[in-house]
């Protein structure tokens, strides 16, 4: 079975979001833990969570993915911004325990001129401070396009971060198809080669989720502009290969394409029809 969903708004709560996901044929979804361009979060509504967990169980929902705000930069040169990132992280992971056993994805951040080494040091320090043995949430580093001074556009950088983490079973990677292609990994002509490289440098056992996005820009453009599935430079054939790939087919897939709900429903149905594994 294809585990697939898309990015949805949590504005109306967990019960509303899971009902919306089910209505478009999804068995998972991604959501922002708080305002993606700010930091405001809604209070946890225990009744809403209770209703959500019941619906999730009845419908065999798979793992869901939370996404940290874009504005969070764990490797900023400004200490106040790093402290803010840490506090958001702690609060988000506390909130995630209300829906135990799921995943929390974040962008490793931008080193803003301090250099990759310093940036990575800030990220690993932060993760080692906030990850707890008792947490049930897996924290995912997202593969990035390499826009500006973004860390995480090279598999080696993600590997260096993971190597420094004490609680390795709490950490994983989310593979974003648009970002990886924009970063210069040719998933169109050599998906197996890219995955082999991922395995060698990070380890496929650390791969926990896939963001399915086509790209508005050509290979290795370092741009990060998502396109609808099949309408960008990656193309539908590659998405067919990705969802059916033996190393990927069991993972949860999340669409982050420029769509309203009807567009997501259509893409989910197209991908389900292409799934043969
Ligand atoms: Fe992201
Ligand atoms: Fe993404
Ligand atoms: Zn992106």
């Amino acid at each position: 079975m294809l585990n697939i969903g898309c990015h949805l708004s949590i504005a109306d709560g967990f019960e509303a979001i899971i009902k919306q996901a089910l209505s478009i044929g999804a068995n998972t979804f991604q959501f922002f833990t708080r305002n993606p361009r700010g930091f405001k979060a809604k209070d946890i509504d225990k009744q809403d969570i209770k209703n959500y967990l019941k619906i999730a169980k009845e419908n065999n929902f798979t793992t869901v993915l939370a996404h940290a705000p874009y504005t969070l930069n764990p490797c900023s040169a400004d200490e106040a911004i790093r402290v803010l990132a840490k506090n958001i992280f702690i609060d988000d992971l506390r909130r995630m325990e209300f829906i135990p056993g799921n995943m929390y994805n974040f962008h490793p951040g931008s080193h803003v001129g301090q250099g990759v080494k310093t940036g990575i040091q800030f990220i690993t320090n932060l993760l080692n401070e906030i990850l707890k043995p008792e947490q049930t949430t897996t924290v995912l580093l997202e593969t990035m396009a390499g826009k500006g001074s973004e860390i995480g556009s090279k598999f080696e950088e993600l590997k260096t971060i993971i190597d420094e983490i004490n609680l390795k079973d709490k950490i994983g990677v989310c593979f974003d198809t648009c970002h990886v292609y924009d970063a210069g990994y040719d998933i169109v002509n050599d998906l197996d080669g890219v995955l082999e490289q991922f395995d060698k440098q990070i380890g496929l056992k650390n791969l926990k989720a896939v963001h399915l996005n086509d790209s508005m820009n050509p290979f290795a453009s370092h741009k990060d502009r998502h396109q609808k599935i099949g309408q960008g430079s990656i193309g539908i054939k590659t998405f067919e290969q990705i969802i059916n790939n033996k190393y990927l087919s069991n993972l949860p897939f999340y669409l982050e394409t420029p769509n309203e709900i009807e567009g997501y429903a259509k893409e989910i149905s197209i991908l389900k029809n292409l799934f043969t594994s």
Side-chain angles (χ1 to χ4, degrees):
M1 192 175 117
L2 180 62
N3 291 312
I4 189 157
C6 61
H7 188 91
L8 294 172
S9 166
I10 193 84
D12 296 323
F14 279 98
E15 185 180 358
I17 202 173
I18 195 170
K19 284 182 170 164
Q20 189 172 36
L22 288 167
S23 78
I24 56 169
N27 68 342
T28 182
F29 58 85
Q30 175 177 269
F31 65 101
F32 282 124
T33 49
R34 56 190 70 225
N35 181 338
R37 309 230 170 252
F39 297 107
K40 237 176 105 65
K42 272 181 78 174
D43 288 338
I44 290 284
D45 174 345
K46 292 204 172 128
Q47 187 58 47
D48 178 47
I49 297 273
K50 210 175 144 192
N51 298 347
Y52 164 79
L53 291 172
K54 185 167 177 280
I55 299 171
K57 202 170 166 206
E58 284 166 359
N59 291 280
N60 285 316
F61 234 64
T62 190
T63 329
V64 299
L65 182 58
H67 197 305
Y70 293 139
T71 32
L72 179 136
N73 187 7
C75 58
S76 168
D78 181 341
E79 198 195 344
I81 295 178
R82 294 197 306 274
V83 170
L84 178 65
K86 182 178 152 183
N87 290 333
I88 297 281
F89 238 108
I90 291 170
D91 189 52
D92 277 352
L93 290 180
R94 173 189 69 81
R95 299 154 65 89
M96 285 301 286
E97 290 304 314
F98 285 95
I99 52 163
N102 289 299
M103 305 182 291
Y104 178 78
N105 174 68
F106 77 106
H107 296 176
S110 298
H111 66 69
V112 287
Q114 307 169 92
V116 172
K117 221 180 140 195
T118 306
I120 285 179
Q121 196 65 55
F122 284 136
I123 297 165
T124 55
N125 287 350
L126 179 136
L127 288 171
N128 281 329
E129 279 177 56
I130 54 117
L131 295 177
K132 298 274 173 287
E134 64 274 17
Q135 78 182 57
T136 65
T137 305
T138 306
V139 174
L140 307 186
L141 298 151
E142 183 166 353
T143 58
M144 301 309 294
K147 203 172 47 177
S149 64
E150 262 173 8
I151 290 181
S153 67
K154 297 191 175 79
F155 294 164
E156 301 95 291
E157 293 171 0
L158 297 177
K159 184 217 163 17
T160 309
I161 297 171
I162 293 172
D163 278 350
E164 296 297 316
I165 304 299
N166 301 326
L167 298 171
K168 288 201 173 44
D169 60 319
K170 304 298 177 195
I171 199 104
V173 172
C174 174
F175 186 100
D176 185 305
T177 57
C178 168
H179 297 178
V180 165
Y181 192 61
D182 283 13
Y185 292 97
D186 195 355
I187 53 173
V188 172
N189 296 299
D190 190 15
L191 177 62
D192 285 341
V194 171
L195 292 176
E196 258 166 46
Q197 206 174 336
F198 187 100
D199 194 32
K200 235 186 254 158
Q201 293 178 316
I202 303 176
L204 281 167
K205 66 169 196 313
N206 290 312
L207 182 50
K208 306 291 184 193
V210 177
H211 282 165
L212 285 181
N213 303 305
D214 214 325
S215 173
M216 285 195 185
N217 291 289
F219 177 62
S221 59
H222 303 287
K223 284 281 203 313
D224 189 2
R225 297 279 308 281
H226 302 183
Q227 179 56 291
K228 293 186 170 111
I229 297 299
Q231 295 183 25
S233 56
I234 297 177
I236 192 71
K237 231 188 124 230
T238 298
F239 289 104
E240 182 175 7
Q241 287 168 1
I242 288 170
I243 58 172
N244 289 298
N245 181 279
K246 66 176 169 185
Y247 300 115
L248 307 178
S249 60
N250 287 321
L251 295 172
F253 295 98
Y254 302 91
L255 297 160
E256 297 176 308
T257 45
N259 275 307
E260 300 297 324
I261 197 73
E262 299 80 15
Y264 280 133
K266 210 171 113 194
E267 288 186 349
I268 287 171
S269 135
I270 290 169
L271 291 163
K272 277 185 171 175
N273 282 324
L274 292 173
F275 188 68
T276 54
S277 299

